């Protein structure tokens, strides 16, 4: 860096003069310098704006007190070398800061020198986003960073659903770094720059024409122009001549175009015709009374239009004035000292000792960064990364002889149709813009891409299948047919544009190729798309974009099945053995409970022991048909019986429905019940070779690889299933439903068992961010809605099934787990009834004859005797017990009186 400084100084031939090295704390005059091209588009505005700012600052009693601020302007005359050398002239005088240079390219060079001499450089037009404060600590951007402008463009691209853009720019630091920032912002939105169209910094018409021809041959129609004021309009002029300002194109210009419109308005009619429908960005400056008054004053100062650069130039001068005032207020002095490095080079005619270091430069830099004021452009305050707070842009649409503001972009909110002051009291919900009139005078949002006009057809990779030719096949003439091909062609026919393509077979045709490898080759550029039975799985979605699935095809299990005919014991099939056992036991238990609750006072449940047992059995099983003749007289018995009859009703209905299904529907039986059986049993499993099934079984279901047997053709499927595990075959095959249904269409001895245990689909694969994937997806949905998809499926995949294909795999038998809740409720009711009845009997037993009970206890106090008496009381009929108790009391009274 120091050698670079010396080279610049050597190239500067003007003899340097000595200078005073110390000023008073509050000098009468403070000098600032400004470097720009007076005759440029920006310079014509900036010169007037800074002169007005100096006049206002020196007339204001609220800043600088008695100190006058003087600005010295140097004209660089469109010369890059002068843009570098002119700032050195300020560095030989008492200049505390420099406004400029105008271009980012020269600002980088001057910023290096300023860092050595500790002189702050403020630029409102050098918006290169890569000029960071870490590399250039004394460079301050007093306008908005291009990083935010590119973020606004990325939001616009995302808003309209575009995926790729073309960037036209000048091949210098300003152009390259701005487009690089655009690429980063687009990548955050999953978009990208498909073609970076760079032009020389000063391009000729031939350069621009050649570049635009290349752009026209590209697929993307979204073109971002990050141009110079000098040659930007020439791009649109030549694009109009080439027919590139027509329907289908989208042109987005950075703020250079809005600056031209604001400064030279009204533009010539031919120029306005060339930019019809263009979207342009402009630095947003909020409306205020201060800004309105300045605009009215501007028309008295000059006939040049006021652009945002003039507003920022005006505010930059005021920013320096407040910083200088704060610098002096904190004890700063304007003093300079010799740079030790330059002192070592003193000698000859160069007089390098004239270049001094600003002693208070670092402190003055801090004062600049701490300024917080409201100006014409809004709030002038720097963030930690030295960007102005609240960056915002207007979004303009060029229409007719002028433009229309279609919205705004805010760094913290994104796109909006309302200005920020109206958003304060409004809930911001979504990004949007007003309607746009696009090139070609259309309001329909352009698709944003077309097929390139280079004559190349899309190479569509299609797997050349060995098995199941109905899906895809290659005939003797090399033509490809099948279900997948017909769906793809039908979808393309629905697109509103022609798609030139050719189908290219992938694979030898002697074995099924790997669809994952086909997708990989597409991402490598061998194919432009992949069409076939490509299942959409996670591994493949990481490599490509897929369309809407056009076939739902999950994994199923195919196993040998046998027909279940009618038999003499068919009536036992609805219930499992466990269910039969529990149901029978429940009948007996409930009958016993009812007998216990009714025996004491119900004659239907009394009699000899044999009669009571038979009555209990009869009552229990007669409830199955609701034909029991015995009545219940106790409340507890009735409650238990009602609950039990409800349970019987549910069991009876379920049994009837299941038995009806068994006897009327053709049944198939298999020892394999589904994927769960295969996971728990250590049996060999077949799978189609070259498919994703193997990886799914191993990695997702944790089935050991040694159990898996690859199979290639339907004939191998047939043989493996017939041989079974005992003869080197397999117990079942796991495959996609579409293929398994085709396999089973002529093989009645096999069937699908269990449920489909994955939900996958087939889709067409396209490279990442391909817009064709979205359009084909929409076409697939349209095929499904109009019925064409079903007709294509019936044509290829609907085969006449064998006689058993309408059958169902054996209906699941009713298990105890389906009814355990009912049995629990009934059991709890029985237990509670027994407990309540027992408590009731104990109370009655204690109240029947207290004296008898006390005498009995004195005579017979053993527990077994008391229990025997209680049981006798419970079993004895209620009327007999009362009569016996009465006789015993009479006998006891006679014995006492006698």
């Amino acid at each position: 860096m120091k050698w670079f400084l010396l080279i610049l100084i050597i190239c500067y031939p003007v003899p340097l003069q000595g200078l005073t090295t110390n000023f008073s704390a509050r000098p009468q005059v403070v000098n600032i310098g400004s470097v720009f091209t007076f005759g440029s588009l920006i310079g014509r505005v900036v010169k007037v704006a800074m002169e007005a700012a100096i006049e206002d600052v020196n007339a204001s009693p609220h800043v600088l007190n008695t100190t006058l601020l003087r600005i010295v302007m140097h004209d660089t005359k469109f010369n890059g070398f002068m843009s570098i050398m002119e700032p050195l002239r300020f560095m030989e005088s008492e200049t505390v800061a420099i406004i400029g240079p105008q271009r980012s390219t020269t600002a980088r060079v001057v910023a290096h020198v300023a860092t050595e001499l500790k002189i702050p450089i403020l630029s409102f037009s050098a918006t290169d986003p890569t000029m960071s404060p870490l590399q250039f600590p004394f460079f301050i951007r007093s306008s908005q960073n291009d990083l935010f402008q590119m973020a606004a463009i990325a939001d616009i691209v995302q808003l309209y659903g575009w995926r790729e853009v073309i960037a036209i720019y000048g091949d210098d630091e300003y152009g390259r770094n701005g487009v690089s920032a655009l690429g980063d912002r687009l990548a955050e939105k999953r978009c990208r720059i498909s073609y970076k169209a760079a032009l020389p910094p000063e391009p000729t018409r031939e350069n621009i024409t050649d570049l635009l021809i290349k752009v026209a041959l590209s697929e993307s129609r979204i073109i971002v122009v990050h141009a110079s004021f000098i040659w930007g309009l020439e791009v649109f002029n030549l694009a109009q001549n080439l027919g590139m300002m027509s329907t289908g194109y989208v042109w987005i210009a950075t703020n250079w175009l809005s600056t031209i419109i604001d400064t030279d308005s009204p533009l010539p009619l031919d120029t306005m015709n060339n930019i019809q429908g263009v979207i342009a960005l402009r630095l947003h400056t909020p409306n205020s009374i201060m800004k309105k008054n300045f605009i009215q004053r501007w028309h008295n100062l000059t006939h040049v239009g006021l652009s945002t650069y003039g507003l920022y130039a005006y505010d930059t001068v005021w920013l320096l004035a407040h910083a200088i005032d704060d610098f002096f207020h904190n004890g700063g002095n304007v003093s300079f000292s010799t740079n030790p490095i330059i002192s070592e080079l003193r000698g000859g005619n160069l007089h390098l000792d004239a270049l001094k270091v600003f002693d208070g430069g670092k402190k003055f830099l801090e004062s600049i960064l701490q300024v917080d004021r409201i100006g014409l452009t809004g709030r002038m305050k720097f963030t930690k990364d030295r960007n102005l707070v609240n960056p915002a842009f207007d979004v303009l649409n060029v229409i007719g002889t002028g433009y229309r503001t279609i919205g705004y972009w805010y760094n913290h909110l994104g796109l909006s149709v309302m200005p920020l002051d109206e958003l304060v009291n409004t809930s911001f919900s979504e990004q949007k813009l007003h309607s746009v009139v696009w090139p070609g005078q259309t309001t329909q949002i352009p698709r944003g891409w077309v097929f390139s006009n280079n004559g190349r057809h899309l190479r569509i990779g299609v797997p050349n299948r060995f098995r199941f030719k109905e899906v895809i096949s290659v005939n003797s003439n090399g033509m490809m047919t099948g279900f997948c091909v017909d769906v793809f062609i039908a979808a393309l026919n629905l697109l509103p544009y022609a798609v030139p393509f050719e189908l290219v077979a992938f694979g030898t045709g002697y074995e099924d190729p790997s669809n994952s490898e086909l997708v990989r080759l597409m991402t490598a550029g061998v194919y432009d798309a992949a069409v076939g039975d490509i299942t959409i799985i996670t591994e493949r979605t990481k490599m490509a974009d897929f369309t809407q699935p056009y076939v739902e095809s999950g994994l199923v299990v195919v196993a040998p099945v046998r027909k279940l005919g009618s038999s003499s014991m068919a009536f036992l099939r609805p219930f499992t053995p466990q269910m039969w056992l529990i149901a029978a036991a429940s009948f007996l238990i409930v009958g016993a409970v009812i007998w216990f609750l009714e025996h004491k006072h119900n004659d239907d449940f009394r009699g000899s022991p044999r009669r009571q047992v038979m009555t209990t059995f009869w009552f229990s099983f007669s409830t199955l048909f609701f034909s029991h003749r015995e009545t219940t007289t106790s409340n507890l018995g009735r409650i238990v019986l009602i609950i039990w009859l409800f349970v019987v009703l549910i069991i009876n209905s379920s049994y009837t429905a299941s038995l009806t299904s068994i006897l009327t529907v053709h049944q198939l039986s298999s020892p394999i019940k589904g994927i769960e059986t295969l996971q728990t049993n250590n049996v060999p499993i077949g799978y189609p070779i070259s498919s994703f099934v193997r990886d799914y079984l191993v990695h997702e279901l944790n089935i050991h690889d040694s159990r898996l047997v690859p199979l290639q053709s339907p004939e191998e499927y047939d043989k493996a299933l017939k041989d079974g595990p005992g003869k080197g075959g397999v117990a079942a095959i796991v495959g996609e439903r579409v293929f398994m249904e085709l396999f089973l269409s002529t093989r009645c001895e096999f069937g699908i068992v269990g449920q489909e245990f994955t939900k996958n689909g087939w889709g067409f694969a396209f490279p990442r961010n391909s817009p064709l994937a979205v359009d084909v997806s929409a076409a697939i949905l349209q095929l499904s809605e109009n019925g064409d998809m079903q007709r294509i499926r019936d044509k290829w995949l609907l085969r006449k099934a064998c006689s058993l294909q309408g059958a169902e795999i054996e209906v699941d038998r009713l298990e105890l787990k389906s009814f355990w809740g009912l049995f629990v409720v009934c059991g709890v009711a029985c237990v509670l009834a027994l407990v309540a009845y027992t408590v009731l009997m104990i109370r009655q037993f204690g109240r029947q004859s207290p004296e008898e009970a006390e005498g009995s206890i004195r005579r017979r106090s053993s527990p077994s005797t008391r229990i025997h008496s209680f049981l006798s009381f419970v079993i004895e009929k209620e009327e007999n017990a009362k009569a016996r108790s009465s006789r015993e009391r009479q006998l006891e009274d006679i014995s006492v009186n006698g």
Side-chain angles (χ1 to χ4, degrees):
M1 184 58 63
K2 297 176 180 178
W3 286 106
F4 176 70
L5 172 62
L6 297 178
I7 291 173
L8 291 178
I9 297 174
I10 291 173
C11 293
Y12 181 62
V14 180
L16 304 176
Q17 306 296 326
L19 57 86
T20 305
T21 61
N22 197 5
F23 285 165
S24 61
R26 282 277 182 175
Q28 294 182 350
V29 177
V30 174
N31 295 324
I32 59 174
S34 182
V35 180
F36 57 94
T37 299
F38 292 175
S40 66
L41 187 75
I42 294 179
R44 286 181 288 151
V45 177
V46 165
K47 188 173 185 298
V48 178
M50 286 197 294
E51 289 174 348
I54 288 294
E55 179 182 348
D56 293 344
V57 167
N58 290 330
S60 174
H62 305 295
V63 63
L64 291 179
N65 295 328
T66 58
T67 301
L68 293 179
L69 185 64
R70 182 173 66 182
I71 185 169
V72 181
M73 304 181 188
H74 287 177
D75 185 6
T76 60
K77 301 178 181 180
F78 296 98
N79 189 290
F81 180 74
M82 293 293 293
S83 299
I84 297 174
M85 301 311 299
E86 286 296 335
L88 295 178
R89 295 179 59 188
F90 292 117
M91 297 175 186
E92 67 178 359
S93 62
E94 301 85 3
T95 302
V96 298
I98 299 174
I99 301 176
Q102 186 173 319
R103 294 175 57 84
S104 298
T105 304
T106 54
R108 281 179 169 271
V109 179
V110 176
H112 284 297
V113 181
T115 300
E116 291 293 330
L117 301 181
K118 304 295 187 291
I119 297 177
I121 301 291
L122 288 84
S123 179
F124 49 81
S125 57
T127 54
D128 182 356
T130 64
M131 295 188 66
S132 69
L134 295 177
Q135 184 181 9
F136 305 103
F138 279 81
F139 173 79
I140 303 171
R141 185 184 294 105
S142 57
S143 179
Q144 296 297 349
N145 192 330
D146 270 347
L147 187 67
F148 302 112
Q149 183 172 208
M150 299 309 172
I153 294 176
D155 279 348
I156 294 174
V157 171
Q158 184 190 39
L159 174 66
Y160 294 110
W162 301 320
R163 305 295 293 273
E164 295 183 351
V165 304
I166 296 175
I168 298 177
Y169 61 97
D171 195 13
D172 55 16
E173 283 84 355
Y174 167 73
R176 285 193 301 270
N177 296 332
V179 170
S180 177
L182 174 62
D184 293 340
R185 292 296 175 264
L186 287 172
E188 294 175 358
K189 312 292 184 182
R190 294 195 66 185
C191 304
R192 70 187 184 98
I193 300 176
S194 61
Y195 177 33
K196 292 183 178 181
L199 286 168
E202 297 181 2
T204 63
R205 286 178 61 90
E206 289 75 16
N207 296 143
I208 299 175
T209 301
D210 293 342
L211 184 69
L212 288 177
I213 292 175
K214 294 179 181 178
V215 170
L217 294 175
S218 301
E219 293 184 358
S220 177
R221 286 293 182 261
I222 314 300
I223 305 171
V224 178
V225 184
H226 188 49
S228 165
F229 301 104
I230 300 174
W231 52 267
L233 289 177
E234 189 66 21
V235 171
F236 290 110
N237 180 30
L238 295 175
Q240 180 79 336
N241 296 336
L242 294 172
M244 298 175 65
M245 300 300 298
S246 58
T247 303
Y249 281 90
V250 175
W251 292 84
I252 303 175
T254 51
N255 66 322
W256 64 270
L257 180 58
S258 62
T259 302
I260 293 177
I261 295 175
D262 290 338
T263 305
D264 291 339
S265 182
L267 294 175
L269 184 60
D270 291 343
T271 301
M272 291 303 300
N273 289 335
N274 293 337
I275 59 176
Q276 289 296 302
V278 175
I279 293 179
L281 296 182
R282 179 175 62 190
L283 292 167
H284 176 70
T285 54
N287 293 324
S288 63
I289 297 177
M290 183 188 306
K291 176 183 173 181
K292 181 180 180 180
N293 293 336
F294 184 79
I295 292 175
Q296 292 177 349
R297 175 187 172 193
W298 181 264
H299 298 303
N300 298 325
L301 296 175
T302 180
H303 296 293
V304 178
L306 177 60
S307 67
T308 53
Y309 286 104
L311 300 176
Y312 275 98
Y314 182 90
D315 281 351
T316 300
V317 174
W318 272 95
L319 176 73
L320 279 174
H322 281 276
I324 292 171
D325 186 63
D326 181 74
F327 174 71
F328 288 144
H329 179 75
N330 293 325
N333 293 315
V334 178
S335 61
F336 297 86
S337 61
T338 303
N339 189 310
I341 298 178
I342 298 178
S343 300
E344 295 177 2
L345 299 176
R346 183 182 301 174
N349 296 322
L350 295 179
H351 298 285
L352 301 178
D353 56 330
L355 293 178
K356 302 293 184 179
V357 177
F358 181 19
D359 295 331
K362 186 174 182 180
K363 186 173 183 179
F364 182 46
L365 176 66
E366 294 176 355
S367 297
I368 294 174
L369 297 177
Q370 291 174 358
V371 171
D372 187 359
R373 65 178 299 273
I374 302 298
L376 299 179
T377 60
R379 188 180 182 186
M380 297 290 289
K381 177 178 174 57
F382 295 99
T383 62
K384 293 181 179 179
D385 53 1
R386 294 194 186 179
N387 289 315
L388 290 176
V389 297
N390 303 325
F393 287 86
D394 300 334
V395 184
L396 312 178
N397 182 207
V398 180
I399 304 174
T401 59
Y403 63 85
R404 182 171 68 101
T405 301
I406 59 174
Y408 308 90
W409 179 88
Y410 305 105
N411 184 46
H412 59 294
L413 294 176
L415 296 169
S416 172
V417 295
M418 293 185 292
L420 188 60
D421 53 350
E422 296 182 15
L423 281 173
V424 174
N425 299 322
T426 305
S427 60
F428 185 79
S429 58
E430 60 179 352
Q431 296 193 47
K432 58 182 179 179
L433 296 174
H434 289 300
S435 60
V436 180
V437 178
W438 306 98
Q441 299 299 309
T442 178
T443 57
Q444 183 178 0
I445 300 175
R447 188 172 66 247
W449 70 279
V450 295
F451 285 100
S452 60
N453 297 324
N454 54 17
R456 187 179 73 85
H457 284 53
L458 294 180
R459 287 173 52 85
I460 310 297
V462 182
N464 188 3
R465 299 193 59 84
F466 170 71
R467 58 188 176 94
F468 300 115
K469 298 292 187 177
E470 299 89 345
V471 176
I472 294 177
S473 64
V474 181
N475 58 28
S476 57
N477 297 326
M479 297 295 293
M480 293 189 179
T481 59
F483 170 71
C484 298
V485 174
D486 279 9
V487 172
F488 180 69
I489 294 176
L492 293 188
N493 290 336
L494 292 177
L495 299 181
Y497 48 87
V499 180
F501 70 95
E502 59 177 331
L503 300 177
V504 182
F506 169 67
T508 62
Y510 298 104
E511 61 181 4
D512 288 337
S514 170
N515 286 333
S516 294
E517 179 63 16
L518 174 60
V519 175
R520 190 195 67 79
L521 290 175
M522 183 197 67
T523 60
V526 177
Y527 304 106
D528 298 306
V531 170
D533 56 311
I534 305 174
T535 305
I536 304 174
I537 58 177
T538 304
E539 175 192 358
R540 295 169 186 169
T541 57
K542 294 177 181 178
M543 298 187 289
D545 285 345
F546 283 86
T547 62
Q548 171 81 15
Y550 60 92
V551 167
E552 296 294 335
S553 182
L555 295 181
V556 294
V557 177
V558 172
V561 296
R562 61 183 178 85
K563 178 180 177 181
L564 290 178
S566 298
S567 66
S568 59
M569 304 300 291
F571 67 90
L572 294 176
R573 289 184 193 168
F575 288 161
T576 61
Q578 185 183 26
M579 181 63 186
W580 279 116
L581 179 62
I582 297 299
S586 299
F587 276 99
L588 296 177
I589 293 174
V590 171
V593 171
I594 295 297
W595 174 87
F596 185 74
L597 297 175
E598 297 291 328
H599 172 75
K600 187 173 182 64
H601 50 268
N602 191 339
D603 291 336
D604 289 342
F605 292 89
R606 297 194 63 83
S608 64
R610 181 174 178 274
R611 181 178 183 277
Q612 293 185 47
V613 171
M614 293 304 297
T615 299
T616 301
F617 271 96
W618 164 255
F619 179 84
S620 298
F621 290 101
S622 63
T623 57
L624 178 62
F625 309 101
F626 304 98
S627 60
H628 51 283
R629 294 175 299 178
E630 293 77 12
T631 59
T632 53
T633 58
S634 67
N635 292 332
L636 293 176
R638 290 171 178 172
I639 293 174
V640 172
L641 183 60
I642 289 175
I643 295 175
W644 172 245
L645 291 178
F646 177 75
V647 174
V648 170
L649 175 64
I650 300 299
I651 294 175
N652 196 2
S653 301
S654 302
Y655 175 86
T656 303
S658 181
L659 183 61
T660 302
S661 176
I662 290 173
L663 297 179
T664 58
V665 179
H666 199 63
Q667 297 292 310
L668 300 177
S669 177
S670 173
I672 305 297
K673 302 302 181 183
I675 190 63
E676 297 82 5
T677 306
L678 297 180
Q679 286 181 278
T680 55
N681 297 340
N682 190 23
V683 293
I685 305 170
Y687 69 93
I689 196 170
S690 301
S691 73
F692 72 97
V693 176
R694 176 191 172 278
D695 290 338
Y696 183 86
L697 294 177
V698 172
H699 300 300
E700 300 297 330
L701 301 183
N702 298 320
I703 296 177
H704 198 274
D705 185 53
S706 61
R707 295 175 54 194
L708 303 181
V709 179
L711 303 173
Q712 182 164 321
S713 64
E715 291 73 21
E716 290 188 11
Y717 298 174
D718 186 279
K719 184 178 184 303
L721 287 173
K722 287 181 178 178
D723 290 344
K727 297 181 180 180
V730 297
I733 295 176
V734 176
E736 295 183 75
R737 176 176 285 276
V738 173
F739 294 126
M740 294 300 101
E741 288 179 348
L742 288 173
F743 168 70
L744 295 173
S745 62
T746 57
R747 294 170 174 85
C748 301
E749 63 271 32
F750 311 121
I752 296 175
V753 296
Q755 300 295 321
E756 187 175 86
F757 57 93
T758 64
K759 293 295 182 182
N760 301 110
W762 292 355
F764 303 133
F766 291 90
R768 282 288 193 188
N769 303 319
S770 172
L772 192 58
V774 178
D775 290 352
V776 174
S777 292
I780 290 173
L781 291 176
Q782 188 175 348
L783 286 175
S784 300
E785 292 170 358
N786 61 24
D788 288 344
M789 182 70 73
Q790 187 60 45
R791 283 189 285 271
I792 298 173
R793 186 183 180 102
D794 293 344
K795 173 185 175 182
W796 291 102
L797 303 183
L798 185 62
R799 291 292 179 265
K800 184 177 181 181
C802 67
S803 59
L804 292 184
Q805 284 303 297
E808 296 183 0
I809 299 301
E810 181 182 4
V811 178
D812 289 338
R813 307 176 75 181
L814 299 176
E815 299 179 356
L816 177 62
K817 64 182 180 181
S818 301
F819 302 94
W820 70 268
L822 290 173
F823 289 121
V824 168
V825 171
C826 185
V828 170
C830 291
V831 171
L832 293 178
L834 290 175
V835 171
Y837 184 75
T838 302
V839 172
L840 182 63
M841 290 297 100
I842 292 175
R843 294 179 61 186
Q844 289 183 2
F845 178 71
R847 289 200 306 266
Q848 67 172 347
S849 179
E851 298 82 0
E852 176 187 355
E854 291 178 3
S856 176
I857 290 174
R858 285 193 299 269
R859 293 191 300 268
R860 296 172 292 181
S861 59
S862 65
S864 60
T865 302
R866 293 196 300 271
I867 293 175
H868 181 269
S869 299
F870 175 72
L871 293 178
S872 299
F873 171 77
V874 171
I875 295 174
E876 189 177 13
K877 189 175 181 180
E878 186 172 5
E879 291 78 359
N880 297 338
K882 291 180 178 180
R884 180 180 55 80
S885 177
S886 177
R887 288 195 303 270
E888 290 180 354
R889 283 197 299 271
Q890 291 177 0
L891 293 174
E892 185 175 353
D893 292 340
I894 293 173
S895 61
V896 171
N897 296 330

